[in-house]
Every structure is written in structure tokens, then in C-alpha cells.
Amino acid sequence: VVGRNVRDLDDVDARLFAGDSPQLGPSTTEQDGNHYRVSVTPIRAFENAKPFFYVYVKVKTNAVEAKKSDIAKTFVAGSLLCVVFSSLVLIVFTRRYVIRPLARLAGSADRLAEGELDTAIPLHRDDEIGTLARSFDAMRHAIREKITQLEGANRRLTELDSMKSAFLSSVSHELRTPLTSILGYAKLIAKNFEKHFLPAAADAKLTAQAGRIRQNLTIIQLEGERLGRMINDVLDLHKIESGHMVWNFGAHAPAEL
């Protein structure tokens, strides 16, 4: 077509040359159901000079478009496969290195909560889960140490309580024996005094002295009985603490008590 007017060619898009200056540069057009790539290049003797002629290039691009479509489909399919494969890898990795260790750690924590302080906690990891596991293990050792201390303190308190109970029981019985003797002798002295010495008081002075002696003997008896009740209360308290107290429940009128 060299030397011919492109406007006279049948397969030339006349719109490219409408007006005085043609549309330069590559463009895409469609004709008879086919896709074409069209380029118009001016040939000049020097810059800004009027072109001697134009080089018109028209290339059919159906195969290129089909190839682009195949490449796009391949890219989409490959991207989907990559996404699916990456998701599977992420799921397996998360399940193996995150979910399972956390589940084992949660199981260990549950056993610790149930009092199984000898439960082994895996400490081989160096990540955040390993840090959490070491924290649980430190807490386990601290709880065990505190329990050991509390058990020792409880044993000492039990020993002290036994010593206290033995002391109260011993002191109560040791006090009861001489107190019984004191009360018995006080009653015997009062009886003999009234029988043998009181009738012998002939004057008022001896009578007054005899009254004071009787009053003192009465005070000894009353205070001894009060001390006996206090000893009984101590023994009852000891029985209550040791669980040997026998209770008699029944209905009583407050006025009778």
C-alpha cells in the first residue's frame, strides 16, 4: 500500500484520519468480530515538519486476547490454589503449635485446680505459650510450698491444742481433788463447831467470835462450790472442743429455767 492513500483502503478505519491530522499512537478497534491493534506513525524530515507519509500498521489480536484470557484464568486458579493451600497450612500449623499446646496447658491447669499438684507441665517451648506454662509451673511450686507450710502450721496447732486439752483436763482434775477435800473438811469443821464449841460459848464475846467463825466457814463452802462450778465449766468446754459433749435437747419454758 506504499504510495496509496490509506483512506482508499477497505480495511482502514477512516475515523483515524478524520480531519486534517490523523490520530497517532496505537489504538484498539474491532471489525467483523475480530480485534485489531492499529498504529499510525508519521514520517518527517525533521522535527515539527509536515510528514511525508504515514506508516499504518494493523495487527489482528484475537490470539493475543485469547492468550491473555488463558493467562488470567490460570492466574485466578493459581491464586485460589495458593489461598486454599496457605489456609490448610495455617490451620495445621495453628492446630499443632497453638491449639494443642493450649489444650494441654488448660488440662494441666484444670488438674491443678482439682488439687493434683504433681501434674507435669510441658516447659520446652520458648514462645508466649512456654512463658505461660512456666508461670503455671511457678504457681504450682508456690502453692505446694504454701500447702506444706500450712500443713506444718496445722500440725503445730493440733499439737498445741492437744497440749492445751491435756493441761485443762489435768489442772481441772488436780484442782477438783483438793477442792473436794477443802469443802469436805469445811463442812466437817462447821458441823463439829456447832456441835461441840458453839454451846460452850458462855459470854457475848465468845458468842460473837463463834458467829464470825461460822460465817467464815460458810464463805469457804460457798467459794469452794463456786470454784467447783468454774472447774466443771472448764471441763464442759474441753468436752465441747473434743466433741465428747452429750447434749440433751428438749422443750423448756423460760420461766422454769
Side-chain angles (χ1 to χ4, degrees):
V1 296
V2 177
R4 295 181 57 185
N5 191 337
V6 295
R7 291 183 177 86
D8 297 335
L9 298 178
D10 297 334
D11 57 348
V12 174
D13 189 355
R15 292 174 297 177
L16 297 174
F17 298 93
D20 296 333
S21 59
Q23 299 180 12
L24 304 179
S27 61
T28 302
T29 185
E30 183 177 356
Q31 187 177 359
D32 298 331
N34 296 320
H35 297 278
Y36 295 92
R37 188 71 171 173
V38 178
S39 176
V40 180
T41 305
I43 304 300
R44 297 182 176 89
F46 51 90
E47 189 177 357
N48 296 327
K50 186 175 181 181
F52 290 108
F53 57 88
Y54 295 92
V55 177
Y56 176 76
V57 179
K58 184 178 182 182
V59 180
K60 188 176 181 181
T61 59
N62 286 352
V64 176
E65 295 294 335
K67 190 67 175 179
K68 288 171 59 179
S69 178
D70 293 340
I71 292 174
K73 293 178 181 179
T74 303
F75 177 78
V76 172
S79 299
L80 290 176
L81 289 176
C82 289
V83 170
V84 173
F85 179 75
S86 300
S87 300
L88 291 176
V89 170
L90 183 60
I91 291 173
V92 173
F93 178 84
T94 303
R95 184 177 181 83
R96 181 174 181 180
Y97 293 99
V98 178
I99 296 178
R100 287 181 181 176
L102 286 177
R104 288 194 294 266
L105 188 59
S108 300
D110 292 337
R111 289 190 291 274
L112 287 177
E114 293 173 358
E116 300 179 10
L117 298 179
D118 295 329
T119 301
I121 299 177
L123 305 174
H124 60 278
R125 297 174 65 101
D126 295 328
D127 53 3
E128 289 78 4
I129 297 178
T131 302
L132 182 60
R134 284 186 287 273
S135 299
F136 272 112
D137 190 64
M139 180 181 67
R140 178 172 66 92
H141 286 293
I143 292 175
R144 178 182 293 174
E145 183 178 357
K146 291 296 182 183
I147 289 177
T148 302
Q149 294 176 359
L150 290 175
E151 289 176 348
N154 186 49
R155 285 193 298 269
R156 289 192 295 272
L157 290 175
T158 302
E159 294 174 358
L160 292 175
D161 186 68
S162 300
M163 293 174 61
K164 181 203 70 174
S165 299
F167 174 76
L168 290 177
S169 178
S170 176
V171 169
S172 299
H173 287 291
E174 292 297 329
L175 290 177
R176 184 187 293 273
T177 300
L179 180 61
T180 303
S181 299
I182 291 172
L183 289 175
Y185 281 114
K187 291 179 181 180
L188 182 61
I189 291 172
K191 181 178 179 181
N192 291 329
F193 180 79
E194 291 179 358
K195 181 177 181 180
H196 300 287
F197 294 97
L198 188 60
D203 55 4
K205 184 177 180 180
L206 290 177
T207 303
Q209 187 68 26
R212 285 193 295 270
I213 293 174
R214 291 179 59 188
Q215 184 178 4
N216 292 336
L217 290 174
T218 303
I219 291 174
I220 292 174
Q221 293 180 19
L222 293 176
E223 293 298 325
E225 292 174 355
R226 188 169 71 89
L227 184 57
R229 289 193 297 271
M230 293 176 63
I231 293 175
N232 291 332
D233 292 339
V234 172
L235 291 176
D236 290 341
L237 180 62
H238 172 63
K239 290 181 180 179
I240 293 173
E241 290 180 348
S242 61
H244 296 155
M245 188 68 179
V246 178
W247 300 95
N248 296 319
F249 297 98
H252 299 278
E256 297 177 358
L257 300 177

